[in-house]
Amino acid sequence: MKYLISGGGTGGHIFPAVSIANALRELDPQADILFVGALGRMEMERVPQAGYKIIGLPVRGFNRKQPWKNISVVWDLLRSMVQARRIVRDFRPNVGIGVGGYASGAAMKVAAKMGVPILLQEQNGFAGVTNKLLKDNARKICVAYEGMERFFPAEKILLTGNPVRQDLVRGSKEQAIDYLQKEYGVFFSLERPTLLIIGGSLGARTINQALLGGVQQLLNQGIQVIWQTGKTYYEQIIKQLQDNHIGREAELPQRAGTPAHPDMVVTPFLSNMPDLYALADLVISRAGASSISELCLLGKPAILVPSPNVAEDHQTHNAMALVNKDAAVLVKDADAEQQLIPAALALLQDSARLSALSEHILTLAQPDSARRIAEEVIRLTKRK
């Protein structure tokens, strides 16, 4: 069987796409899988790294602030449709899988018109523009949240959740302690609370500013802090910490500019997430679909700070799906500098509340999401 998978632009689209491809390979080892992405976007690098072939289209997003510049965008869209038709004709897929993003719109629209059954995967609680435009072309639409009938025909919807890295469940607190010692020269304790801050690979300005203003207060309360600043803000954060003499209680070996403090790690990017998640008693995070799915799978208490810089404010919708079930705490981006640290302190000092959040968020997990989506894809080939 041949499967055409299209989408990307962000990790939130790319990771589910690769996870679905991996699940298809497990169920159908002889599967022939081809990705279609957008030239110059993240998927053109990440998909080959995962071991799959990808073809790039010149498709781009519309410029809403400067509409007069969209003439070339429309031209690139037309070129992409022609190229997508050639790809579908040559590859002859049994099923097309769209995960959102510019390329997905062009590739899946053309594939549907050429008689290929289409399955869509929507990661967020507020449907993306591309998937809303493709809903009439799709046979099935796999969603991560309840209540998606307001965007898609109810008879097409399957609640499958978002694919999540399965290695996350194999984390170990003890291994996290060893990792932090070897990598950053800090000696964390299993007996004290640990706060993990993950603002994304690029970082989250508001979360970083809130931590700058309150990290000393956290340290004074004996809280261990693992702070991923994102590569955009790292140098600036380090300079401000050093200028303000924050966290300087001990002279420890400094790794990648991490301020010397026995209870704090500051880094642009975190690896070894399975172990670090295991160690964390509380997580502060944006409310992207992938992050929320990981938190649900692991049952991690979380404070979510939705990004205001995303289409349709979909991160707030993602977060509210958890908040409405008492499975997470929400702090608005505009309020984060005043409210984030007090909220974190209050939770870390309330073990009963942490336990309740953990119990509630765990009920929302969909651990076999990728496999369930892959099984539905294979069922579409049989129906065809």
Side-chain angles (χ1 to χ4, degrees):
M1 291 294 174
K2 295 184 176 183
Y3 306 102
L4 186 71
I5 303 178
S6 185
T10 67
H13 292 313
I14 297 166
F15 179 75
V18 171
S19 295
I20 294 168
N22 292 341
L24 283 169
R25 276 273 166 83
E26 289 182 11
L27 295 172
D28 180 6
Q30 302 303 316
D32 191 357
I33 299 172
L34 176 65
F35 280 75
V36 175
L39 289 171
R41 304 289 288 186
M42 188 187 304
E43 59 267 26
M44 300 306 296
E45 178 181 349
R46 298 292 177 85
V47 169
Q49 289 174 352
Y52 296 98
K53 181 181 177 182
I54 186 169
I55 298 175
L57 303 178
V59 65
R60 295 179 288 143
F62 282 90
N63 191 326
R64 299 179 184 181
K65 294 182 179 179
Q66 298 173 307
W68 61 89
K69 292 188 176 182
N70 285 325
I71 295 175
S72 63
V73 175
V74 172
W75 173 245
D76 284 340
L77 175 59
L78 294 174
R79 290 170 56 212
S80 297
M81 299 287 279
V82 171
Q83 188 173 342
R85 183 175 181 82
R86 188 180 306 120
I87 293 169
V88 174
R89 183 193 64 204
D90 294 343
F91 185 62
R92 299 180 66 187
N94 296 92
V95 179
I97 303 155
V99 298
Y102 306 137
S104 179
M108 293 300 106
K109 191 75 173 178
V110 167
K113 285 186 176 181
M114 296 176 71
V116 179
I118 301 300
L119 177 142
L120 302 178
Q121 198 258 332
E122 175 56 57
Q123 299 90 33
N124 295 295
F126 194 96
V129 173
T130 299
N131 281 345
K132 285 191 287 188
L133 291 174
L134 291 170
K135 64 182 179 182
D136 293 332
N137 303 106
R139 302 278 184 91
K140 290 294 179 180
I141 305 172
C142 297
V143 301
Y145 295 94
E146 297 175 348
M148 297 301 284
E149 295 84 0
R150 56 194 171 133
F151 304 110
F152 305 124
E155 67 275 9
K156 296 183 178 183
I157 292 175
L158 293 171
L159 181 62
T160 59
N162 283 320
V164 175
R165 295 174 287 177
Q166 294 303 306
D167 65 325
L168 290 175
V169 300
R170 295 191 286 270
S172 158
K173 292 185 177 184
E174 290 76 14
Q175 289 176 187
I177 297 293
D178 291 341
Y179 168 77
L180 292 171
Q181 179 183 344
K182 293 174 182 176
E183 187 70 18
Y184 299 102
V186 296
F187 297 82
F188 276 25
S189 168
L190 293 174
E191 308 303 320
R192 294 164 61 192
T194 300
L195 174 65
L196 174 64
I197 301 100
I198 45 174
S201 59
L202 296 179
R205 190 194 69 82
T206 310
I207 292 177
N208 285 334
Q209 289 301 120
L211 264 292
L212 272 174
V215 70
Q216 188 67 65
Q217 187 179 358
L218 293 169
L219 296 171
N220 291 344
Q221 294 295 319
I223 294 166
Q224 300 170 140
V225 178
I226 305 171
W227 178 5
Q228 177 183 287
T229 64
K231 62 182 181 181
T232 305
Y233 301 99
Y234 176 70
E235 297 295 340
Q236 170 191 339
I237 295 296
I238 289 297
K239 185 177 186 307
Q240 288 183 267
L241 287 171
Q242 292 173 344
D243 289 347
N244 296 329
H245 304 287
I246 294 176
R248 291 218 168 249
E249 287 185 4
E251 290 301 327
L252 295 175
Q254 295 190 36
R255 308 293 178 91
T258 301
H261 191 282
D263 299 330
M264 179 167 66
V265 166
V266 184
T267 181
F269 180 76
L270 287 169
S271 57
N272 195 15
M273 287 306 298
D275 292 336
L276 296 180
Y277 266 135
L279 182 63
D281 296 285
L282 176 67
V283 178
I284 292 175
S285 174
R286 286 300 199 191
S290 295
S291 297
I292 285 183
S293 295
E294 292 176 357
L295 294 168
C296 290
L297 178 70
L298 299 172
K300 282 295 166 183
I303 301 176
L304 301 174
V305 186
S307 171
N309 305 312
V310 295
E312 309 288 355
D313 195 26
H314 68 253
Q315 287 202 7
T316 296
H317 293 274
N318 293 348
M320 288 306 301
L322 272 63
V323 172
N324 290 337
K325 294 182 181 295
D326 194 29
V329 172
L330 183 147
V331 172
K332 294 181 179 178
D333 188 83
D335 301 330
E337 291 191 38
Q338 289 75 40
Q339 297 182 10
L340 186 57
I341 298 303
L345 282 168
L347 282 174
L348 287 167
Q349 294 167 356
D350 188 344
S351 58
R353 180 70 175 134
L354 287 176
S355 296
L357 288 173
S358 177
E359 180 181 338
H360 296 161
I361 197 171
L362 195 58
T363 65
L364 304 177
Q366 301 276 357
D368 299 320
S369 177
R371 185 180 181 90
R372 291 168 63 195
I373 295 169
E375 288 172 345
E376 190 60 35
V377 170
I378 291 173
R379 273 193 284 271
L380 285 180
T381 68
K382 295 176 180 177
R383 288 172 191 164
K384 184 183 179 184

